[in-house]
Amino acid sequence: ENSALSSTLLNLVQGCGAVIACRVSPLQKAQLVRLVREGASPAPVTLSVGDGANDVPMIQEAQVGVGIAGREGRQAVNNSDFAIGQFSHIQRLLLVHGRWNYRRACKFTLFTFWRNAFQVLMIFYYTFCCGFSGTVLFEDWIRLSFNFLCSFPIMATGCFDQDLMDTTALQNPSTYIFGREGRDLRVGTILESLILAVLHSLLLACILA
């Protein structure tokens, strides 16, 4: 609870490759996770792995909790985001499935930004052509159909996209840095999607004009 000691401990922890805490209570495990989560800079994404009831507070405190189903019961599994059968499976969970799902979610989100911005910009341009009379460019069913039809290609990407084979991802752990540093979904990539929406909508408006 002492802020000065907590700051000293955090500085010490950040300079270490690994830290081993012995004879730690469940509450202290959660406090260690909270200390790193709230104090470290840049802000990290914390993950806790546990296999018993004494690991539940730590799992709940982290942003991502992984429970291991084992001899100590299923309390950790029931309170976790993901469950695995053995600790060795954590490597594939992070480097393969975690990486794939992060990149899929980012592509899906960026496409959604582009699609909505493209549609709204077309309506915005039309207001100048109709003299701000309030005339609608698209009927409601057309707008809904556009969103519906444009959902299919990105749904396939969001479910099945694999930019790297699983063996390649396992052999090159450095590729995990995309998710750890949030490279695929940040201000720059969002602005890029919006700029593309502006360019594509202007091109279509010029063709239709």
Side-chain angles (χ1 to χ4, degrees):
E1 297 298 332
N2 188 306
S3 58
L5 291 177
S6 298
S7 179
T8 303
L9 176 61
L10 181 61
N11 292 333
L12 182 62
V13 165
Q14 287 184 291
C16 300
V19 177
I20 299 175
C22 302
R23 310 298 297 174
V24 180
S25 70
L27 178 59
Q28 288 172 327
K29 292 181 181 181
Q31 288 174 335
L32 281 172
V33 175
R34 188 185 307 119
L35 176 66
V36 174
R37 179 177 176 177
E38 297 178 353
S41 181
V45 177
T46 55
L47 180 145
S48 292
V49 185
D51 62 352
N54 59 335
D55 297 318
V56 170
M58 173 182 69
I59 290 174
Q60 292 178 334
E61 183 64 38
Q63 285 137 315
V64 181
V66 178
I68 302 175
R71 297 179 180 179
E72 295 192 33
R74 298 187 59 86
Q75 291 93 335
V77 170
N78 293 337
N79 288 275
S80 63
D81 302 301
F82 302 97
I84 55 178
Q86 299 177 15
F87 186 80
S88 59
H89 296 166
I90 193 74
Q91 182 183 28
R92 186 173 181 85
L93 177 66
L94 293 177
L95 299 183
V96 178
H97 299 290
R99 184 181 180 281
W100 280 349
N101 286 327
Y102 167 74
R103 305 211 77 177
R104 290 169 184 167
C106 291
K107 290 177 182 178
F108 186 91
T109 303
L110 293 173
F111 179 84
T112 303
F113 286 153
W114 173 88
R115 183 190 65 192
N116 293 335
F118 177 83
Q119 185 178 176
V120 169
L121 285 168
M122 290 300 299
I123 298 172
F124 172 72
Y125 301 151
Y126 186 70
T127 58
F128 294 93
C129 300
C130 69
F132 301 94
S133 63
T135 308
V136 236
L137 175 61
F138 304 118
E139 296 291 340
D140 287 341
W141 69 271
I142 294 179
R143 289 193 300 104
L144 294 174
S145 300
F146 176 80
N147 287 331
F148 177 74
L149 293 174
C150 285
S151 297
F152 285 105
I154 197 59
M155 282 176 63
T157 300
C159 293
F160 306 112
D161 182 60
Q162 298 179 7
D163 62 323
L164 289 178
M165 295 293 293
D166 55 348
T167 52
T168 305
L170 287 172
Q171 292 169 2
N172 300 275
S174 58
T175 59
Y176 186 70
I177 198 171
F178 285 92
R180 189 167 57 84
E181 296 185 355
R183 292 186 179 183
D184 285 348
L185 190 62
R186 51 184 179 181
V187 176
T189 55
I190 294 173
L191 288 176
E192 182 182 352
S193 295
L194 297 179
I195 291 171
L196 286 174
V198 172
L199 294 176
H200 293 160
S201 60
L202 284 173
L203 178 62
L204 184 60
C206 292
I207 293 173
L208 295 177

